Structures are given as structure tokens and as C-alpha cells.
Amino acid sequence: MGKRRGHGEGSVYQRADGYWVASVEAGHYPNGKRRRARIVRRTKKAVLAELDELKRRGAAGLVGSDPAIGEFAEWWIDNVAAPKVTDSSLTAYRARLRAWITPQPIARIRLRKLRATDVQEWMNTLAGQGIAPASRNSARVLLSSALHYAHGVGMVERNVVSFVAGAKAGPRLDDALTPAEASAVLAAAKGDRLEALWVLALKYGMRPAEMLALRGDDIDLKAGTLTVAKSKSASGVRDLPLLAGTLEALKAHRARQR
């Protein structure tokens, strides 16, 4: 663990997985409880920059009795959501805020002045900009969660986002290939430098990230096995037998690489 800073300056340390963590006392919640913000980044430089920004926002008193929506949502992420969610969720929250809330006019509306009609206009604007229904709903849920907290601590009389319906997803399409179509794809990929990628995708249903993360050490051509070492979840880490056609494609791929 790295050297800690003085009281109120925050602490910075490196975790066992190599990521850097910073936390700082950020005043108090509206209900009087002490609040502490946490940041996780890949480098110490990045985490210190974010820490300085957090302290700047706190010193500027951005979260008062009636902050702007964008400022309040950012404060809610840093101080309310951060201690409760995973690092990946926290990163996703901040990305949604910066992509779909901060650039929009709704971000500048004061918390107590926000109306359901403002939320509806915001959702309509996102739709007009071509933002997918799932993304619009993610942004709506984020804002609703922040306002739910504001309502709980008495900053607003009600959560107006709850009065606005989420975006309706379009009809789901059946994108599965028939056996004949899959065979046609493999035939077309024959001899291509990425033939092995198509073979793995169609024969195993591997995720793109799993295939792109494969390294030479993950493939044992003699034993006829393939190890998926990097997956979305722990249960996704697995050993696979090299099926008919896969061994030949991987051997050809390795020969092209050499």
C-alpha cells in the first residue's frame, strides 16, 4: 500500500492487480453523514489527476442545496454509487453520464426545477440523435437512481424521472446462421489470413473479446486443446478440444504468422 496523504487530502495506493486507487473525504451527505469518494485507474498519474478534480469540485461546493443535474449526477456517482458498485460498473456509470447527460441541456437544469417534461424532452432528443433504446434506458436508469437518492434525503419532493417511460426496444431479429450459411462463411474464409477467427467463432460461439485475447500459449496443437484464459466471467474460463477443421485452421494460421 502506498504512502497516505494528510487528513482531507486523500489516500493513494496500488492494488495487487496493478490498478491505482485513490479516495478522499468529500464533506458530508445531505443527511449529515461523512462522505468519501473513491477512484480506480490503471496508472498513478491518472488517479492523481482524477483525485485533484474531485477535490476541486468539493472545494467549489458544486453539490449544495440545489445543484445542476449534471453536477448532482456526477456527485452521486462519486459519493453514493462508488462505495456500493464494482469498479467496472462505476466506469460504466461515468461513461453514460459523460456521453448522454453532461452534453445535453438537461445537465444545466437545477435539481429542484427539473420537471418530467424536461426528462421526456431529453429522452426524445437522444432518440433523435440516433442513440439506441438500450443506451437511452441506461442513461434514464442512471438519472433515476440519482434522483431517487435526492428524494430519499429530502432534496426534492419526488423523482420526476419515474413519470417518464423508458425507450421501447425494437423487434429482436433472429441473426442465427443456418448450417448451410455457416458452411458458406467457412468456405468463403478458406485461405484468408483470419480464417482461424471465423472457424473459432462458428464452431465454438466464442465472444469476439475471447478470440482476440488468445495467445500462442493458449493453443496446444499437439494435445489438440485450446484454453480460453480471458473471459467475461470466471465460469467462462475453459479448456476446449480442437474440433474437426479447427486444428488445421490454427496450424495454417501459425504457419502464416511465421
Side-chain angles (χ1 to χ4, degrees):
M1 187 173 287
K3 182 179 178 182
R4 293 184 177 274
R5 299 182 175 186
H7 178 73
E9 293 182 341
S11 61
V12 178
Y13 61 91
Q14 190 174 25
R15 298 190 317 202
D17 61 3
Y19 279 76
W20 284 86
V21 180
S23 60
V24 63
E25 290 185 10
H28 297 79
Y29 292 114
N31 61 7
K33 289 186 177 181
R34 187 183 299 277
R35 54 187 170 92
R36 194 167 186 84
R38 182 172 65 108
I39 311 154
V40 180
R41 293 291 183 269
R42 288 186 179 274
T43 65
K44 185 177 182 179
K45 181 178 179 181
V47 90
L48 287 175
E50 189 82 7
L51 180 61
D52 289 341
E53 176 62 15
L54 265 183
K55 290 191 293 182
R56 184 196 67 76
R57 292 205 307 267
L62 293 182
V63 180
S65 60
D66 191 23
I69 289 297
E71 294 167 350
F72 180 76
E74 189 164 14
W75 175 89
W76 175 84
I77 291 173
D78 292 340
N79 299 280
V80 181
K84 301 177 182 179
V85 302
T86 64
D87 294 340
S88 59
S89 294
L90 197 59
T91 298
Y93 286 179
R94 287 174 175 146
R96 292 168 192 167
L97 172 69
R98 292 165 186 171
W100 303 317
I101 297 178
T102 302
Q104 301 294 335
I106 194 173
R108 297 184 289 277
I109 299 175
R110 292 292 168 181
L111 185 63
R112 293 181 180 175
K113 292 184 177 180
L114 184 68
R115 300 290 181 265
T117 52
D118 298 320
V119 178
Q120 186 64 66
E121 183 177 351
W122 166 59
M123 293 289 287
N124 293 346
T125 298
L126 292 180
Q129 292 174 347
I131 307 301
S135 297
R136 302 202 304 270
N137 285 334
S138 294
R140 177 188 170 278
V141 169
L142 175 65
L143 185 57
S144 181
S145 298
L147 264 70
H148 177 76
Y149 174 83
H151 176 244
V153 297
M155 295 182 74
V156 294
E157 294 183 359
R158 59 187 179 276
N159 177 3
V160 297
V161 180
S162 63
F163 296 101
V164 178
K168 184 178 179 180
R172 297 194 63 174
L173 301 177
D174 183 5
D175 293 333
L177 299 180
T178 65
E181 290 171 335
S183 296
V185 171
L186 292 178
K190 196 71 176 177
D192 185 82
R193 71 182 186 88
L194 295 180
E195 177 186 356
L197 188 75
W198 294 108
V199 170
L200 292 175
L202 290 172
K203 288 185 177 290
Y204 297 96
M206 292 175 64
R207 298 185 180 94
E210 291 177 336
M211 294 186 291
L212 296 175
L214 287 175
R215 297 293 180 265
D217 293 341
D218 298 326
I219 301 168
D220 190 333
L221 297 178
K222 291 183 179 180
T225 60
L226 182 153
T227 300
V228 180
K230 295 183 179 180
S231 184
K232 190 175 182 180
S233 63
S235 61
V237 177
R238 58 204 186 275
D239 291 324
L240 302 171
L242 294 180
L243 304 174
T246 309
L247 180 61
E248 293 77 10
L250 289 171
K251 282 183 177 179
H253 186 72
R254 183 165 291 183
R256 279 193 292 272
Q257 287 182 317
R258 287 173 177 170

